[in-house]
């Protein structure tokens, strides 16, 4: 007979033979063991201990059976580790996590997309001599023949975090830790509570250090396009000249090359400028391409960076753009015929992916050491090149990488993805804090944009992380001004009542521009970027964009400046006024000329921002969108200023006088800041965060109201033109299992309307016997994988009654541990006690005093109390369960009997279709 079945049925016969002896013990349960050597095939029937494990039993066993914060997640499983504990009530936390790496000799660890690919782990192992440093690139294409591999990791690639499991596991860990009342236990409990504060403080300091490195380095490289400092090659123009109007220490390229005449001088500087833009951007792209990752086509993803030209799997769609009605096997075969998807983890800003990761989606390697190092270096080059991009968005990705890497120092966070995401929320906030020098705005950014789960404890730690980052940046002083903000402006003139109409108009225009930017970027990407040659060689596109930028930017002062310096000039008030036609402080007569000059800069900068978004270099959209809006706002500000000065006698402009200074009545810099915030809001749909960023940049309490009005009107306008932000659009294109917790659809159905019918391939029926052949379980697991549910689950039913559920990753791990899968039966019911170990049984313990685990006992992997809802439950309740609890799936019951299972991905798809129907 196959393994396990003989002992089980022999025990049943033995139960009848010994009925007289044990009839009084039936309520305690039976415990069956495998036959001992020398005793034939008859098992020994033993009385089972109480099914309930008391608190004291768990505390006493913690030191021997329970992993604590010092236990290794991927350590070898201990003998007897998979013993089943039944709590006093359904859902009682098990005293151990169940996702451990498989170290069985027969299992070949060949996974390409596991955490084994982490560079830091491989380096540590190589230095310690425990593992040979692998020179593989971590290319997921290697796993194409078999999408589902046999190496067990904490969470599979492209699956969702099990928030409920992580929360329960951490609750048990804390309960076990605090059960110790001795001095050492109190110290451990104190240190456990201090780990989070220590971790976010380190993250804030390191984020500030990297921001300092990027700011200082890119400013030096940026100035190399115009010349160099004779005092030192490492000095920027600002540091070399120290504010002097005539700087002899700075050598322009025209002087170095020895050309004569104004035309030749201009040509030499023009040529060197174009060369600098192309070379620096090309180097940045080459670095970015080092993070190339190939994903097999069986994973239904379109893109993992800001590539709006990504194409969906057309042959998997019908004529109306919906998925064809195929069987899982047919769909998998069709997907295999598609070309693999290529993405670059260092490209773009990474904000969209960080938001999805914080919602529970798993992307191994996207927040690794390799991505951190390459993106930091490539960001320096891309910003220094002068392309129309910013460094503020990539700071969010870089800071999140730092948080993810440092989580490995503390098992409390390293072994629990739910807890890890609390730290990642604080990390993302510190990125905004150092980008804008706005720690409060960083906290609001994490709350408003990226975080999915943000309890009050996380809010306070996020604030602490942002303060640590801001203080560190203050001491490092990257700008040489003893300030942490990008720029600091002070408006001495308060705004007038009549200007509120202009502020509202600026907000409307800014919101419309932001929404039109999204549409223009999508149009450009789907026309130009889908050209086969451009699609195949992303470096060629970067060279073309850099060449275009260099050619058109040189001749206008405001397109040639760095984006942060340009935004500072646009927002600054004026002290003195000149008659120059290109200065931002003109007299009344020169205002039309500066409006014309700024209009040219606005058109050039807007077009360059559209074509630059999505190229394969680290690039943010925050400050470029603010610059485009700032140019437009400055134009509107000068128009209002001109009208106020010219028609001051009409009384429409308050007490403005034509004889007063131009900015005594209207300050165009305020309009630039309002329009900058409005345009950025139109692109990203940030609201409160933006108002606080503008306030922290200017420090002007008097102008908080104009900033807020502009952002509010902008958001309403942008939502009317384009419902999705740029990051929402990218999330939808990738088909991420991202359930937006900020926008609830209007449901008119109930749970039964989206519940698929029960199929034998998707359930484990133990009505006839609690023992199920391993081959049958493997077939059911493969069926889930073919359907794309790597993180799905198989409900266990007896006579149509739901008795439990086994997650697909845990079932795969358990099957991989079997020595002989073809000839094994697996126990799938926790109510039947078998394979019990007796402490006095020397044969069972192998003479070593340790219990031998039975690999066919799958009960430790079973969730005895999966979350279930009645089939007539309203969809609003289903939405709350998926969003608030972070569930992967919900079991559906009809009159107490199993009626189906709804996966989170299916519910997200339903919500997206509902949203598209309403729009």
């Amino acid at each position: 007979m196959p393994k396990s079945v003989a002992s089980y049925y022999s025990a049943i016969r033995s139960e009848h033979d010994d009925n007289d002896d044990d009839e009084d013990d039936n309520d305690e349960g039976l415990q069956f063991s495998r036959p001992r050597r020398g005793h034939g095939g008859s098992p020994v029937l033993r009385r089972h201990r109480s099914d309930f494990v008391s608190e004291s039993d768990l505390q006493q066993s913690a030191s021997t059976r329970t992993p604590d914060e010092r236990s290794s997640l991927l350590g070898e499983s201990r003998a007897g580790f998979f013993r089943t504990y039944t709590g006093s009530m359904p859902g009682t936390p098990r005293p151990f996590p169940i996702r451990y790496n498989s170290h069985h000799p027969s299992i070949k660890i060949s996974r390409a997309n596991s955490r084994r690919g982490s560079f830091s782990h491989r380096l540590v192992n190589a230095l310690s001599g425990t593992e040979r440093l692998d020179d593989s690139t971590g290319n997921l294409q290697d796993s194409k023949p078999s999408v589902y591999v046999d190496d067990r990791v904490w969470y599979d690639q492209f699956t969702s975090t099990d928030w409920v499991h992580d929360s329960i596991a951490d609750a048990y860990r804390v309960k076990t830790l605090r059960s110790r009342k001795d001095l050492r236990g109190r110290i451990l409990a104190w240190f456990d509570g201090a780990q989070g504060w220590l971790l976010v403080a380190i993250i804030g300091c390191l984020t500030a250090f990297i921001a300092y490195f990027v700011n200082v380095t890119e400013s030096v490289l940026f100035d190399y396009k115009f010349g160099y400092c004779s005092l030192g090659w490492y000095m920027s123009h600002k540091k070399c000249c120290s504010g002097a109007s005539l700087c002899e220490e700075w050598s322009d390229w025209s002087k170095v090359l020895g050309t004569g005449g104004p035309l030749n001088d201009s040509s030499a500087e023009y040529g060197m400028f174009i060369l600098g833009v192309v070379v620096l951007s090309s180097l940045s792209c080459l670095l970015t391409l080092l993070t190339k990752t190939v994903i097999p086509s069986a994973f239904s993803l379109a893109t993992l960076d800001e590539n709006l030209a990504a194409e969906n799997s057309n042959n998997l769609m019908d004529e109306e753009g919906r998925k064809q009605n195929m069987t899982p096997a047919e769909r998998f075969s069709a997907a295999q015929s598609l070309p693999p998807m290529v993405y670059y983890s260092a490209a773009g800003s990474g904000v969209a992916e960080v938001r999805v990761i914080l919602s529970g989606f798993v992307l191994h390697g996207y927040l690794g050491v390799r991505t951190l190092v390459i993106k930091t270096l490539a960001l320096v080059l891309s910003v220094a090149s002068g392309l129309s991009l910013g460094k503020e968005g990539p700071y969010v990705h870089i800071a999140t990488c730092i948080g993810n890497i440092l989580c490995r120092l503390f098992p409390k966070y390293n072994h629990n993805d739910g807890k890890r995401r609390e730290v990642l929320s604080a990390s993302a906030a510190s990125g905004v804090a150092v980008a804008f020098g706005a720690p409060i705005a960083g906290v609001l950014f994490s709350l408003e944009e990226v975080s999915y789960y943000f309890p009050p404890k996380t809010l306070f730690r996020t604030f602490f992380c942002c303060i640590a980052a801001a203080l560190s940046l203050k001491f490092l002083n990257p700008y040489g001004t003893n300030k942490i903000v990008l720029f600091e402006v002070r408006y001495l003139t308060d705004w007038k009542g009549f200007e509120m109409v202009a502020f509202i108009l600026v907000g409307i225009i800014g919101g419309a521009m932001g929404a039109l930017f999204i549409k223009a970027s999508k149009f450009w990407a789907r026309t130009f970027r889908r050209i086969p040659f451009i699609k195949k060689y992303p470096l060629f596109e970067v060279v073309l964009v850099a060449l275009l930028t260099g050619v058109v930017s040189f001749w206008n002062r405001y397109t040639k400046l760095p984006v942060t310096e340009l935004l500072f000039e646009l927002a600054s008030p004026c002290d003195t006024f000149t008659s120059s036609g290109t200065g931002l402080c003109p007299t009344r007569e020169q205002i039309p000329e500066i409006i014309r000059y700024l209009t040219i800069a606005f058109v050039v900068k807007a077009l360059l921002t559209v074509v630059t978004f999505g190229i394969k270099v680290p690039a943010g959209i925050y400050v470029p969108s603010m610059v485009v809006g700032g140019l437009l706002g400055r134009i509107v500000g000068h128009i209002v200023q001109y009208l106020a000065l010219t028609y001051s006698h009409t009384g429409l402009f308050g007490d403005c006088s034509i004889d007063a200074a131009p900015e005594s009545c209207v300050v165009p810099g305020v309009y630039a800041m309002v329009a900058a915030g409005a345009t950025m809001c139109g692109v990203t749909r940030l609201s409160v965060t933006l108002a606080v960023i503008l306030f922290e940049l200017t420090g002007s309490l008097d102008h908080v109201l104009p900033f807020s009005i502009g952002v509010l009107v902008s958001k309403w306008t942008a939502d009317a033109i384009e419902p999705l932000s740029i990051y929402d659009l990218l999330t939808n294109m990738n088909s991420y299992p991202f359930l937006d917790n900020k926008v609830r659809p209007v449901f008119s159905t109930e749970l039964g309307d989206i519940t698929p019918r029960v199929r034998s391939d998707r359930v484990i029926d133990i009505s006839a016997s609690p023992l199920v052949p391993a081959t049958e379980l493997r077939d059911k697991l493969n069926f889930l994988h073919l359907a794309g549910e790597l993180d799905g689950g198989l409900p266990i039913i007896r006579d149509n009654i739901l008795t439990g559920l086994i997650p697909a990753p845990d079932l795969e791990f358990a099957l991989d541990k079997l020595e002989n899968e073809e000839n094994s039966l697996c126990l799938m019911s926790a109510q039947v006690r078998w394979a019990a170990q007796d402490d006095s049984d020397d044969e069972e313990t192998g003479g070593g005093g340790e219990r031998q685990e039975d690999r066919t006992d799958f009960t430790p992997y079973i969730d005895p109390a999966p979350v279930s809802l009645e089939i007539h439950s309203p969809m609003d309740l289903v939405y709350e369960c998926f969003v608030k609890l972070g569930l992967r799936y919900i079991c559906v019951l009809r009159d107490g009997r199993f009626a189906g299972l709804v996966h989170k991905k299916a519910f997200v798809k339903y919500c997206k279709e509902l949203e598209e129907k309403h729009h």
Side-chain angles (χ1 to χ4, degrees):
M1 280 189 177
K3 179 183 178 183
S4 301
V5 70
S7 61
Y8 175 73
Y9 286 109
S10 296
I12 296 297
R13 289 194 298 270
S14 178
E15 177 185 1
H16 292 289
D17 295 340
D18 299 337
N19 185 58
D20 294 337
D21 296 333
D22 297 316
E23 59 183 359
D24 295 332
D25 300 323
N26 289 336
D27 293 337
E28 294 181 8
L30 294 178
Q31 202 168 29
F32 301 99
S33 70
R34 291 171 296 194
R36 293 179 290 177
R37 285 193 205 98
H39 291 275
S42 299
V44 178
L45 179 62
R46 299 192 183 90
R47 188 171 302 154
H48 175 52
R49 302 177 193 175
S50 173
D51 285 345
F52 305 104
V53 181
S54 66
E55 188 72 20
S56 59
D57 292 335
L58 294 180
Q59 295 171 8
Q60 292 172 2
S61 62
S63 61
T64 58
R65 290 193 300 266
T66 306
D68 55 18
E69 64 275 5
R70 296 184 299 276
S71 303
S72 172
L73 173 66
L74 302 180
E76 296 193 16
S77 57
R78 298 177 292 280
F81 184 80
F82 294 104
R83 181 176 181 181
T84 304
Y85 289 85
T86 303
S88 58
M89 61 178 293
T92 297
R94 300 188 184 96
F96 47 80
I98 58 177
R99 297 178 178 90
Y100 275 70
N101 210 4
S102 176
H103 287 272
H104 194 273
S106 63
I107 298 177
K108 180 180 178 181
I109 300 178
S110 60
R111 181 146 199 175
N113 58 347
S114 68
R115 289 187 179 178
R116 170 185 170 278
S118 170
F119 176 79
S120 61
H121 281 187
R122 297 203 307 270
L123 180 61
V124 171
N125 291 334
L127 294 177
S128 61
T130 57
E131 182 182 356
R132 180 179 61 85
L133 186 62
D134 196 338
D135 58 354
S136 64
T137 61
N139 198 325
L140 294 183
Q141 178 65 14
D142 298 338
S143 62
K144 183 174 181 178
S146 176
V147 176
Y148 14 91
V149 294
D150 50 14
D151 187 20
R152 191 81 243 117
V153 293
W154 183 243
Y155 283 111
D156 281 329
Q157 181 79 302
F158 309 124
T159 59
S160 299
T161 300
D162 192 342
W163 292 92
V164 175
H165 172 274
D166 288 351
S167 177
I168 293 175
D170 185 68
Y172 187 88
R173 181 192 63 80
V174 173
K175 184 167 61 175
T176 304
L177 186 64
R178 293 183 178 177
S179 64
R180 298 185 55 174
K181 302 303 181 183
D182 57 342
L183 178 61
R184 186 169 183 269
R186 294 179 183 274
I187 293 176
L188 290 176
W190 175 85
F191 179 70
D192 180 76
Q195 285 182 20
W197 300 101
L198 178 62
L199 180 57
V200 296
I202 299 175
I203 291 171
C205 295
L206 287 182
T207 302
F209 176 79
I210 290 185
Y212 170 81
F213 169 76
V214 172
N215 291 332
V216 172
T217 309
E218 65 90 3
S219 62
V220 175
L221 293 179
F222 185 93
D223 291 338
Y224 268 122
K225 299 195 298 293
F226 306 98
Y228 69 94
C229 182
S230 58
L231 297 178
W233 59 270
Y234 52 86
M235 300 178 69
S236 64
H237 182 276
K238 181 179 180 180
K239 189 174 181 180
C240 182
C241 298
S242 299
S245 56
L246 294 176
C247 183
E248 304 236 344
E249 291 79 12
W250 183 260
S251 302
D252 294 329
W253 290 119
S254 57
K255 298 179 183 178
V256 176
L257 297 177
T259 58
L263 181 62
N264 291 336
D265 289 348
S266 178
S267 300
E269 293 178 1
Y270 186 38
M272 292 301 296
F273 177 80
I274 296 176
L275 180 64
V277 174
V278 173
V279 170
L280 290 174
S281 57
S282 299
L283 291 175
S284 176
C285 181
L286 290 174
L287 277 176
T288 303
L289 296 182
L290 295 178
T291 61
K292 176 180 178 181
T293 306
V294 181
I295 297 179
S297 56
F299 292 106
S300 57
L301 296 173
T303 175
L304 283 174
D305 55 33
E306 293 166 357
N307 182 7
L308 292 173
E311 300 180 60
N312 291 319
S313 306
N314 293 328
N315 62 339
L316 301 182
M317 305 290 179
D318 58 18
E319 295 179 355
E320 298 180 1
R322 296 175 299 189
K323 286 190 175 182
Q324 296 184 19
N325 200 4
M326 304 179 181
T327 64
E330 292 173 343
R331 187 178 303 280
F332 182 79
S333 300
Q336 288 286 74
S337 63
L338 297 174
M341 190 270 286
V342 177
Y343 83 93
Y344 306 90
S345 59
S349 65
V351 174
E353 282 69 31
V354 168
R355 183 175 70 161
V356 173
I357 289 173
L358 291 183
S359 74
F361 195 59
V362 178
L363 289 175
H364 292 314
Y366 201 84
L367 302 177
V369 176
R370 192 160 172 260
T371 301
L372 170 64
V373 174
I374 292 179
K375 185 152 191 170
T376 301
L377 297 177
L379 178 63
V380 171
L381 295 171
S382 64
V383 175
S385 67
L387 295 175
S388 185
L389 48 83
K391 57 195 173 187
E392 289 71 26
Y395 275 165
V396 176
H397 186 191
I398 289 173
T400 312
C401 288
I402 295 174
N404 181 66
I405 295 166
L406 291 181
C407 279
R408 300 171 186 172
L409 300 176
F410 301 93
K412 170 182 175 181
Y413 297 100
N414 188 33
H415 297 169
N416 191 306
D417 271 32
K419 296 290 292 180
R420 177 194 297 264
R421 275 155 177 75
E422 296 180 14
V423 175
L424 297 186
S425 296
S427 303
S430 68
V432 173
V434 299
F436 293 100
I440 300 176
V443 178
L444 293 174
F445 171 81
S446 182
L447 174 62
E448 183 178 357
E449 179 67 14
V450 297
S451 292
Y452 199 81
Y453 175 67
F454 208 74
K457 180 178 66 176
T458 302
L459 174 68
F460 193 33
R461 284 186 180 171
T462 301
F463 181 59
F464 178 70
C465 184
C466 291
I467 293 298
L471 283 176
S472 301
L473 199 66
K474 173 79 172 179
F475 290 127
L476 292 172
N477 192 21
Y479 306 109
T481 59
N482 293 318
K483 305 289 184 182
I484 62 173
V485 293
L486 288 170
F487 51 86
E488 188 176 37
V489 295
R490 289 285 185 271
Y491 300 119
L492 302 179
T493 304
D494 198 1
W495 57 281
K496 306 295 190 296
F498 72 87
E499 292 183 277
M500 184 54 66
V501 177
F503 291 146
I504 294 175
L505 178 63
V506 167
I508 293 174
I509 297 175
M513 277 187 16
L516 292 176
F517 166 79
I518 297 175
K519 293 183 179 294
S521 298
K522 185 163 55 174
F523 172 78
W524 172 258
R526 294 184 176 180
T527 53
F528 176 78
R529 204 165 288 152
R530 283 186 178 176
I531 298 174
F533 188 80
I534 299 295
K535 187 176 181 180
K536 187 176 181 180
Y537 300 102
L539 177 61
F540 183 72
E541 181 189 8
V542 172
V543 172
L544 287 181
V545 172
L547 191 62
L548 176 66
T549 301
V551 169
V552 302
S553 297
F554 182 79
W555 305 108
N556 190 296
R557 179 176 182 273
Y558 300 117
T559 58
K560 189 167 59 173
L561 286 174
V563 286
T564 53
E565 187 175 336
L566 173 59
L567 189 59
F568 170 64
E569 288 199 14
L570 293 174
S572 296
C574 295
D575 295 328
T576 57
F577 301 89
T578 64
S579 58
S580 171
T582 60
L584 289 178
C585 296
T587 58
R588 186 177 68 88
E589 294 74 15
Q590 292 297 326
I591 288 179
E593 177 64 21
I594 188 59
I595 290 176
R596 183 194 66 82
Y597 196 76
L598 286 174
T599 302
I600 297 175
F602 165 73
V603 173
V604 171
K605 209 68 179 177
L607 293 177
L608 289 179
T609 304
V610 169
V611 300
T612 304
F613 182 82
I615 63 175
K616 297 300 179 287
V617 295
I621 194 60
Y622 290 156
V623 170
S625 63
M626 293 180 72
V627 164
V628 174
L631 287 167
L632 180 65
R634 191 82 189 194
I635 293 172
V636 175
H638 281 298
I639 293 176
V640 174
Q641 185 184 52
Y642 184 79
L643 293 176
L645 293 174
T646 304
Y647 301 100
S648 59
H649 60 278
T650 61
L652 296 175
F653 301 97
D655 56 353
C656 294
S657 172
I658 192 173
D659 298 324
E663 287 197 359
S664 63
C665 185
V666 176
V667 182
V670 175
Y671 290 79
M673 289 300 293
V674 173
T679 307
M680 182 177 169
C681 175
V683 175
T684 64
R685 307 303 156 85
L686 292 171
S687 55
V688 182
T689 303
L690 262 175
V692 175
I693 286 176
L694 297 177
F695 161 67
E696 292 192 80
L697 285 178
T698 60
S700 176
L701 285 172
D702 296 332
H703 292 83
V704 170
L705 188 58
F707 298 155
S708 303
I709 291 294
V711 169
L712 279 174
V713 175
S714 170
K715 184 166 175 55
W716 288 332
T717 305
D719 287 340
I721 299 175
E722 172 61 58
L724 300 178
S725 71
I726 190 68
Y727 300 124
D728 293 331
L729 184 65
L730 291 168
T731 301
N732 288 350
M733 285 183 57
N734 285 293
S735 300
Y736 290 133
F738 179 76
L739 189 59
D740 195 346
N741 59 348
K742 301 179 180 67
V743 181
R744 175 189 293 192
V746 179
F747 298 108
S748 58
T749 56
E750 57 185 23
L751 179 56
D753 295 326
I754 63 170
T755 303
R757 64 183 179 88
V758 180
R759 302 185 53 168
S760 59
D761 295 322
R762 288 182 173 268
V763 298
I764 301 174
D765 194 342
I766 59 171
S767 301
S769 171
L771 294 167
V772 181
T775 53
E776 180 181 336
L777 295 175
R778 178 67 72 177
D779 292 340
K780 295 179 184 294
L781 179 66
N782 288 339
F783 185 87
L784 285 182
H785 286 162
L786 289 173
E789 296 183 14
L790 293 177
D791 53 355
L794 289 173
I796 303 171
I797 61 174
R798 178 189 290 112
D799 298 327
N800 290 329
I801 302 297
L802 181 67
T803 62
L805 182 143
I806 182 167
D810 299 327
L811 176 59
E812 183 181 6
F813 170 60
L815 290 174
D816 289 342
K817 289 176 66 65
L818 295 178
E819 298 179 2
N820 186 3
E821 186 175 311
E822 298 293 330
N823 195 33
S824 294
L825 291 175
C826 307
L827 182 68
M828 303 301 297
S829 175
Q831 297 179 7
V832 178
R833 295 292 171 176
W834 76 301
Q837 320 298 335
D838 189 57
D839 295 338
S840 61
D841 190 347
D842 295 336
E843 294 292 333
E844 289 287 330
T845 60
E850 295 183 356
R851 297 183 294 121
Q852 300 295 317
E853 75 171 278
D854 194 322
R855 298 180 185 274
T856 57
D857 181 5
F858 282 13
T859 54
Y861 307 99
I862 296 175
D863 179 4
V867 177
S868 307
L869 291 177
E870 179 63 27
I871 196 169
H872 298 296
S873 299
M875 293 298 290
D876 295 280
L877 176 60
V878 180
Y879 174 87
E880 291 294 332
C881 288
F882 275 118
V883 169
K884 300 295 177 59
L885 298 180
L887 301 177
R888 284 176 166 180
Y889 29 67
I890 290 178
C891 295
V892 184
L893 305 179
R894 180 189 286 111
D895 299 329
R897 296 181 176 272
F898 181 74
L901 182 143
V902 176
H903 195 277
K904 179 182 178 181
K905 294 178 180 177
F907 183 73
V908 172
K909 181 175 180 292
Y910 168 75
C911 291
K912 297 300 182 185
E913 293 175 351
L914 198 63
E915 182 181 348
E916 293 173 1
K917 184 188 301 183
H918 287 169
H919 288 300

